[in-house]
Amino acid sequence: MISCLKCLPLMVELEDLKNRNPRAWTLLLTQDTEITDIIVAAVGEEPLPGSENVSRFLLSLSGYHEPFSLIGKRTNPAEALFYEAFAPQFPHFTPTCWFSYVGVEDGWLVLTDVQNDHPPEHWTGNDVNILIGNLASLHAAFWGKRDILDQYGLPDMLGESTAEADMVSDDSGDEQSPEQPLNQMARIERWLQGQRRHLTDHAIRTAGPLTPLLAEASSALFALRQVNGWPGIVDEQHLVALADLLDDPLPMLHPLRQLPYTLLHGDPSAQRWCLTLFDDYYLLDWQNTAIGPGVCDLLNFIDQMELLPDERQVQITEETMVDSYILAMRGELGTSFDARATRQALPAARCLLVLTKWLPILGKSSEKLRYDGETWQAMGDISDEELAEAGFAQLPDLRVTLATVFDRFLRDYRSL
């Protein structure tokens, strides 16, 4: 166990913290040399709404009237590793980590309790620029340093492709050893065995570690085809484009794999940020942290910003956000940052996001309505009130969101 606050061995047992042992929590606090006289008298716990894995621990301190609160979080090894190994380099936009445990299958964290005083509906264009600047500083710190990142065993978002390797000639004339691709293929094929998936052999060879996500997308497309798309949202041209990328993901993945890899958050959308009264900008929830091209984080952020409801929209365009990122990266890396390659890879990043995130969401909706084809096919003409009366109150917002998503997808697909 290593404390992220000091990065020194700390004799605190995880189970003692979970069991609210005051002595263990006292040891945790007094690792900070400025508060060595603190004594924790009692520890309370409040599960946070909406998450069974996150609790607020309320520490009653001897001599103090107000309790001191910290967040305890059961998470995956990737997020615990991020706070242990990387977060100390970014104290200006990650909450202080007082304790981390990195297990084989899970992790556990104790973090400073930060307040979200300015939710997205209160953000300004300047706030968004600062958030993008923080994202750029994360990417710049590990830009092109895959050899360092590989040492930590973080997930590789895109991996390598045996089909892509076939495109590159080997001047030495030596044949590449097939051992690694075959091992990778064996793992993927075991995962696919016995499941209803619709990926070609070429797609599996191309996708690498993305295979499970693309297989889920392919099943979602299958369900969507069963109901002939979604009128007014996804028509035949969308279905053809989605099927084309799932049959051959290489035009989408190749430009992304050509970019320098860095440390990714994985899902830096608006709901992951906390803006405080003291002008702190914290990025939370690092469960999807991985190695990959920074443009995927950028596009994820842009995508979510543009899909906020009208009353929560910040008046800032996609082009402005891209420019802010490029300027910040240029400020960090100078001319070694290739702005042109980043811009050219944006369509590929959006297509990947649609396949791995939005298509499965749409597929689940169409799956539920498969046996109500009349309602589904009339969806474009049914009012929000009628949908609510029919038991589909969640669909109006989804309809508006997905109309925007798939219109942009078709535009970007055609530019690959």
Side-chain angles (χ1 to χ4, degrees), residues 35-326:
I35 53 174
T36 53
D37 59 341
I38 289 292
I39 297 176
V40 177
V43 182
E45 181 178 359
E46 297 177 350
L48 293 189
S51 177
E52 59 183 15
N53 294 324
V54 184
S55 294
R56 176 174 286 112
F57 287 86
L58 301 173
L59 313 183
S60 299
L61 309 179
S62 296
Y64 294 84
H65 295 293
E66 294 294 327
F68 181 65
S69 65
L70 291 171
I71 296 297
K73 182 177 185 180
R74 183 179 182 272
T75 185
N76 61 12
E79 182 173 28
L81 177 63
F82 169 81
Y83 275 102
E84 184 172 293
F86 302 110
Q89 300 182 51
F90 306 103
H92 59 293
F93 71 93
T94 57
T96 299
C97 180
W98 295 76
F99 177 92
S100 72
Y101 166 78
V102 182
V104 176
E105 297 182 354
D106 63 357
W108 214 77
L109 298 166
V110 177
L111 304 170
T112 292
D113 188 3
V114 298
Q115 302 301 312
N116 190 18
D117 299 309
H118 298 290
E121 58 264 31
H122 298 151
W123 290 0
T124 65
N126 184 59
D127 289 326
V128 174
N129 284 330
I130 291 174
L131 301 183
I132 291 175
N134 285 345
L135 199 61
S137 67
L138 168 72
H139 294 163
F142 295 96
W143 195 254
K145 298 179 180 177
R146 183 169 181 172
D147 55 337
I148 296 175
L149 293 171
D150 281 340
Q151 298 174 15
Y152 292 92
L154 290 172
D156 187 336
M157 177 185 178
L158 298 179
E160 297 177 352
S161 158
T162 56
E164 203 164 6
D166 293 341
M167 299 170 57
V168 183
S169 62
D170 186 348
D171 294 336
S172 67
D174 295 335
E175 295 184 0
Q176 291 185 330
S177 169
E179 181 179 353
Q180 182 62 30
L182 285 177
N183 288 339
Q184 183 184 55
M185 285 293 295
R187 291 194 298 271
I188 292 171
E189 287 171 0
R190 283 197 298 271
W191 184 88
L192 290 169
Q193 187 176 9
Q195 301 192 46
R196 182 173 66 93
R197 305 300 184 193
H198 313 279
L199 288 183
T200 65
D201 290 341
H202 169 74
I204 293 172
R205 293 178 65 235
T206 299
L210 284 170
T211 298
L213 291 176
L214 294 190
E216 182 181 1
S218 189
S219 287
L221 179 60
F222 179 84
L224 200 56
R225 279 172 157 169
Q226 295 294 99
V227 293
N228 299 316
W230 187 347
I233 307 296
V234 178
D235 57 24
E236 183 63 24
Q237 59 182 340
H238 294 97
L239 296 176
V240 169
L242 292 165
D244 184 38
L245 286 180
L246 287 169
D247 284 341
D248 183 11
L250 199 53
M252 171 182 66
L253 298 179
H254 184 68
L256 297 173
R257 286 172 171 154
Q258 301 313 298
L259 297 174
Y261 278 19
T262 186
L263 182 65
L264 301 181
H265 175 276
D267 184 18
S269 49
Q271 62 266 32
R272 309 296 181 198
W273 293 90
C274 284
L275 277 61
T276 76
L277 289 174
F278 304 101
D279 294 327
D280 297 314
Y281 297 78
Y282 292 114
L283 181 54
L284 308 180
D285 298 330
W286 294 80
Q287 295 97 320
N288 296 315
T289 189
I291 302 169
V295 68
C296 291
D297 263 357
L298 173 64
L299 197 282
N300 198 312
F301 177 82
I302 292 173
D303 181 76
Q304 294 296 308
M305 286 298 301
E306 293 196 331
L307 294 176
L308 290 173
D310 289 342
E311 66 273 12
R312 299 177 64 187
Q313 283 282 359
V314 182
Q315 298 304 309
I316 186 168
T317 66
E318 175 178 337
E319 188 60 31
T320 299
M321 288 186 275
V322 172
D323 287 343
S324 295
Y325 178 80
I326 287 174

Side-chain angles (χ1 to χ4, degrees), residues 381-392:
D381 301 320
I382 299 177
S383 69
D384 293 353
E385 292 76 14
E386 290 171 321
L387 281 173
E389 290 176 3
F392 304 118

